[in-house]
Amino acid sequence: LVRLGATRADHEAAVDSLELMVLRGATGRIVPGALAELAEVCLTAWADDKRHKPAWFDRVSQTGFAQVHQIAAALDEALSPLAAMVAEEKSGHKGSLSALATATVAVIEALARDETGATGGLYAGESGNQLAALLLDLARPARDIAFAPREWVDVLRALTNGMMERQPVGGHPRIAIWGVLEARLQSVDMLVLGGLNESVWPSMPRDDPFLNRAMKAEIGLALPERRIGLAAHDFQMAMGQRKVLLTRALRLEGAPTVASRWLQRLETLAGKDATAGMRAAGEHFAALGAEAVRPILQETAGRPEPLVPVDVRPENFSVTEIETLIADPYAIYAKKILGLKPLEPLIRDPDVSERGRLFHHVLDTAIRDGIDLMADDAAEKLIATARQVFDESALPREIDVVWWQRMAPVLGHFLAFERERDNDMAERHAEIGARKTAIGATGITLSGKADRIDLRRDGLAEIIDYKTGQVPSATAVNSFKAPQLPLEAMLLAEGAFDGLGKRDTAALTYVRLGPRGEWEVKNAVGDKGDVAAVMTETWERLIKLMERFNRPETTYPSRFRASETGHMAREGDYDHLARVREWSAGDEPSDSDGSGA
């Protein structure tokens, strides 16, 4: 229904541009009346040549920028009657029911108005008539009441909770779909009772959070069990029809279900022979259902394994993409060959991954700023740096407070960790990138960026990787299932990191930053692991992996193997494209050597 004074085509194009350029990836709160201001900030950021541009940016024209300005301003104007009342609430002003209803009418009519000034289908049909009647009653109440404008949404939801729209009767004239109330006292040739699963029919009794059983009994209200009794009565009445078909879903959202207690009781009383007879009588209808869904089942997708010409396959990988290539080659196919990038989520609060990036940024900034970690004022400088990074992130206030409390112990652990190692360290380097380096004679290169590379006084190096999620096991690192740190060590040995030269690595270290500010240091290759041996074996397996994907017959299967690091435990960015949920009922295959070769 929303048109904002534009044609349908222009409005839809403007909505697409607004979504991509402003709403996707935005965090925090969007204040009604300030959308145009937010749009200006976002568009200015996109115009900055230094900002990383997403895949869709090249498809946006100057017209798209103009459309965003126009629709943001139109939305601000349309929402202004309610936004003004909410703004007045800060000064202690309360809104009346009639005033809020009148402002709501102005808002929804402004939203729905088309290029001719008409409100289109806003008040059309049964639902439109009910909306008009509701708003008219609220705008002219018999008794006006006052409340905070921010409560208007909850009030309106409560007022409309019991309203129902009667859909026009359609479908086959001899078939009717009824609820239990409508089915009472009806007589039909055949009745189908659906949903005979426990918790569906009968539904589970729910405790009232405001009135307990004793209070309900004292004031004469019906107890929860009465609903089950009424439902049982409806079931018994329905069983009196001439023909009855009893049905239930064997699975609900992928999980097995439990047959309704009534169905179980019926089977128990009828006995095995009678139950078998009922099932046989229903086989005709089951066969009809199977015949109806057979075309759908035949179209169900299998595991996709696209075959791609060698000359269009990726010529460079980052160290973090190697693990993806091992576990889910299809994701690499979608990202690097098809050039598809996942859309940023719509407006949301910052999540766990952003907290991890923020903590990383604080620690990286402390290293890059050259804070003297042995000085007496090191703790104060660390706190000042962290506060500056937090302020620049502009987090919602309630999230800033929680995350800052979790940042404080991390800074303490970080300072103690660095002071303990200071005598052995000559230089510390944060967020340092590696140039493209040839992977053997495969014609493919490897690049990447390391969280930390510390140069020791004995000429060796230690590579550190911060983790805010699951830390890979030493077994996963040593068996080419989590190859990131050994590959970074090989790049360092090849002199790929600018300014560091060619250096051997003495230690590969994970530092886990826990959700409550915990700090856990872990040797990536294990206490008995040999860094040099792991590096060499990882590099050899990488060469074999690249040689495999250089063969014309090699495909890019989806979810080739679940990674021990948890990479495939969560839903991937391209799983919906690969239709993973349709074909992933069985176990995922795995290769013996971890290289796919």
Side-chain angles (χ1 to χ4, degrees), residues 191 193 234-242 244 246 266 278:
L191 190 67
L193 300 184
D234 290 329
F235 177 79
Q236 183 180 5
M237 294 290 292
M239 289 295 293
Q241 300 291 341
R242 291 161 56 188
V244 180
L246 306 176
L266 180 63
M278 288 190 290

Side-chain angles (χ1 to χ4, degrees), residues 271-540:
K272 293 184 178 179
D273 294 339
T275 298
M278 288 190 290
R279 291 185 181 278
E283 285 298 325
H284 168 69
F285 300 98
L288 292 178
E291 188 67 27
V293 302
R294 184 171 290 111
I296 300 175
L297 296 176
Q298 291 172 348
E299 295 176 3
T300 299
R303 180 194 301 271
E305 298 188 36
L307 185 64
V308 182
V310 175
D311 58 350
V312 299
R313 298 189 181 196
E315 297 179 352
N316 179 74
F317 290 91
S318 69
V319 290
T320 55
E321 289 173 339
I322 297 300
E323 183 180 336
T324 304
L325 181 64
I326 295 170
D328 189 14
Y330 185 89
I332 295 296
Y333 161 77
K335 175 183 177 181
K336 299 181 75 71
I337 297 175
L338 297 184
L340 301 176
K341 302 294 189 296
L343 286 173
E344 292 285 340
L346 285 168
I347 301 167
R348 57 183 172 75
D349 285 335
D351 57 17
V352 175
S353 62
E354 286 176 281
R355 186 191 71 210
R357 286 193 291 270
L358 181 64
F359 284 18
H360 278 208
H361 188 36
V362 169
L363 302 184
D364 294 338
T365 303
I367 296 297
R368 286 197 300 269
D369 288 353
I371 296 176
D372 184 358
L373 299 173
M374 302 302 292
D376 294 338
D377 62 348
E380 289 77 7
K381 289 185 177 180
L382 279 176
I383 292 174
T385 297
R387 188 64 259 172
Q388 180 181 353
V389 173
F390 267 66
D391 292 342
E392 291 173 352
S393 300
L395 297 169
R397 179 172 177 78
E398 64 275 17
I399 294 178
D400 186 295
V401 170
V402 174
W403 286 7
W404 181 252
Q405 291 177 345
R406 297 178 180 180
M407 184 81 251
V410 169
L411 295 178
H413 292 308
F414 172 72
L415 187 58
F417 174 73
E418 297 298 341
R419 285 179 170 177
E420 182 181 350
R421 304 162 63 248
D422 188 71
N423 290 335
D424 298 328
M425 295 300 143
E427 299 177 14
R428 297 177 176 88
H429 298 271
E431 285 288 311
I432 182 170
R435 299 187 306 273
K436 293 180 180 179
T437 301
I439 304 174
T442 61
I444 302 173
T445 58
L446 181 71
S447 59
K449 180 179 289 187
D451 283 353
R452 280 273 299 276
I453 298 180
D454 291 355
L455 305 183
R456 305 196 322 191
R457 299 186 190 279
D458 60 7
L460 299 177
E462 178 178 0
I463 298 178
I464 299 175
D465 190 53
Y466 299 122
K467 292 290 186 185
T468 51
Q470 182 178 355
V471 177
S473 66
T475 301
V477 174
N478 297 339
S479 62
F480 197 59
K481 295 176 181 178
Q484 178 181 344
L485 289 189
L487 291 178
E488 290 178 2
M490 283 301 303
L491 290 174
L492 180 60
E494 294 291 327
F497 291 94
D498 289 334
L500 302 188
K502 295 183 178 181
R503 291 180 181 267
D504 293 331
T505 301
L508 302 176
T509 304
Y510 285 118
V511 175
R512 180 177 178 270
L513 310 178
R516 303 292 179 183
E518 305 93 329
W519 180 280
E520 180 184 357
V521 180
K522 179 180 178 181
N523 185 345
V525 298
D527 295 335
K528 298 181 180 180
D530 186 332
V531 173
V534 173
M535 288 168 50
T536 301
E537 184 178 357
T538 299
W539 192 253
E540 291 173 352

Side-chain angles (χ1 to χ4, degrees), residues 85-138:
M85 298 187 71
V86 173
E88 292 175 357
E89 182 182 339
K90 295 180 179 179
S91 60
H93 175 76
K94 287 190 175 183
S96 66
L97 177 63
S98 59
L100 284 163
T102 302
T104 300
V105 171
V107 168
I108 63 174
E109 289 186 352
L111 292 172
R113 191 162 290 114
D114 61 18
E115 70 277 13
T116 67
T119 56
L122 182 60
Y123 301 120
E126 177 68 20
S127 60
N129 290 334
Q130 290 194 50
L131 174 65
L134 172 68
L135 293 174
L136 184 61
D137 289 342
L138 296 179

